[in-house]
Amino acid sequence: MAKMIINGQEIQAKAGATVLEEARNLKVEIPTLCYHKDLSSFGACRLCTVEIKVKGKWQLAASCQTEAVEGLEVRTDSDKVRESRKLAAELLYYRYPQTAAVREIAAKLGVAVGEPTIDSRDCILCGLCTRTCHEIVGVNALSFKDRGLARDIAEPAIDFNPAACIGCGSCAYVCPTGFVRMEAVDGKRIIWDKVFKMASCEVCGRYFAPVEQLEYISRTTGVPVSRLMTCVSCR
């Protein structure tokens, strides 16, 4: 446990927790588009900025990547914090003006948002899909392409490895903008332009999971595929 202060309130923070997590435990609203409680912090959107006191001086920091340590002081709603979050939202809105998730959070942070002309579902490079694929699913079918200081002139993007994808749909579930789409058509699932054959439950006949996902579960757990051919409702 670590004793720290958030907005003048002294708390006992859990070991290894972040400022964002502890602030939300206090019901303090901090916006974010790239954070998920079950994934590692990424700090891509910069919307979760707070002020922290370091060696007697206040400075801005991403709350999702700042550890809640002993003696830390935090301000979540100062003028500098609001200005920083608004600037981050303005930059996102400038790049993705038609994307609903961006428009919504930008408006909440005081950005003047015009009427959309189309329903766009842009990838905002939040990294939620890549982290989910790597950290939760464990297949590494998604990764960043051309991201970082050494990248070339090309715009960063998500690189998809169809050979590794098992069609679980976790990336579509966590995507905040709807860029990752998953469709179900005639016993098949389509995601990232790859078509997966769906397995039907041996009891009720309902399609419930891609065959490749069940095969992956079988390989990693040692459970025969034949024992996985029943949906959750019929087990």
Side-chain angles (χ1 to χ4, degrees):
M1 303 292 284
K3 186 183 294 184
M4 61 174 293
I5 297 173
I6 297 180
N7 296 339
Q9 181 176 346
E10 187 176 285
I11 65 168
Q12 291 287 342
K14 295 180 181 178
T18 64
V19 169
L20 176 61
E21 291 168 337
E22 291 298 335
R24 288 188 168 180
N25 286 339
L26 293 175
K27 309 301 180 184
V28 175
E29 184 176 356
I30 296 181
T32 181
L33 278 175
C34 70
Y35 171 80
H36 191 284
K37 65 181 181 64
D38 295 322
L39 300 172
S40 61
S41 298
F42 192 51
C45 70
R46 313 310 291 183
L47 295 170
C48 71
T49 296
V50 296
E51 273 194 294
I52 61 173
K53 200 171 188 178
V54 179
K55 296 181 179 180
K57 295 184 178 180
W58 290 97
Q59 64 183 40
L60 296 172
S63 62
C64 71
Q65 293 188 307
T66 303
E67 186 178 354
V69 295
E70 182 73 25
L72 185 68
E73 291 186 52
V74 179
R75 295 193 298 214
T76 69
D77 195 34
S78 66
D79 290 340
K80 287 185 177 180
V81 166
R82 289 192 293 270
E83 181 181 351
S84 177
R85 292 178 185 172
K86 183 178 179 181
L87 176 59
E90 285 175 338
L91 292 173
L92 279 170
Y93 178 62
Y94 176 78
R95 294 192 64 186
Y96 314 108
Q98 308 296 335
T99 300
V102 172
R103 294 170 52 81
E104 180 180 352
I105 205 163
K108 285 183 179 179
L109 294 174
V111 178
V113 175
E115 289 295 324
T117 57
I118 57 173
D119 177 21
S120 180
R121 301 183 180 187
D122 297 295
C123 172
I124 60 173
L125 301 175
C126 67
L128 284 171
C129 63
T130 60
R131 282 175 284 152
T132 298
C133 190
H134 173 67
E135 299 172 16
I136 304 296
V137 185
V139 300
N140 299 317
L142 300 172
S143 61
F144 277 112
K145 179 173 62 177
D146 290 329
R147 186 179 179 89
L149 296 177
R151 73 179 180 88
D152 58 26
I153 301 300
E155 185 73 13
I158 302 298
D159 190 37
F160 173 62
N161 179 5
C165 183
I166 59 174
C168 66
S170 297
C171 53
Y173 177 78
V174 299
C175 179
T177 66
F179 173 78
V180 184
R181 302 190 187 192
M182 183 170 63
E183 300 177 86
V185 181
D186 297 329
K188 296 180 177 61
R189 173 178 291 177
I190 304 170
I191 188 168
W192 294 99
D193 293 327
K194 180 178 177 179
V195 180
F196 295 88
K197 180 181 178 182
M198 297 293 287
S200 58
C201 175
E202 293 182 340
V203 177
C204 68
R206 182 177 66 88
Y207 293 116
F208 70 98
V211 173
E212 288 187 44
Q213 182 179 4
L214 299 181
E215 291 172 344
Y216 172 75
I217 293 172
S218 177
R219 289 195 304 272
T220 55
T221 64
V223 178
V225 174
S226 59
R227 292 179 56 189
L228 300 172
M229 297 301 293
T230 307
C231 72
V232 176
S233 299
C234 294
R235 289 175 190 170

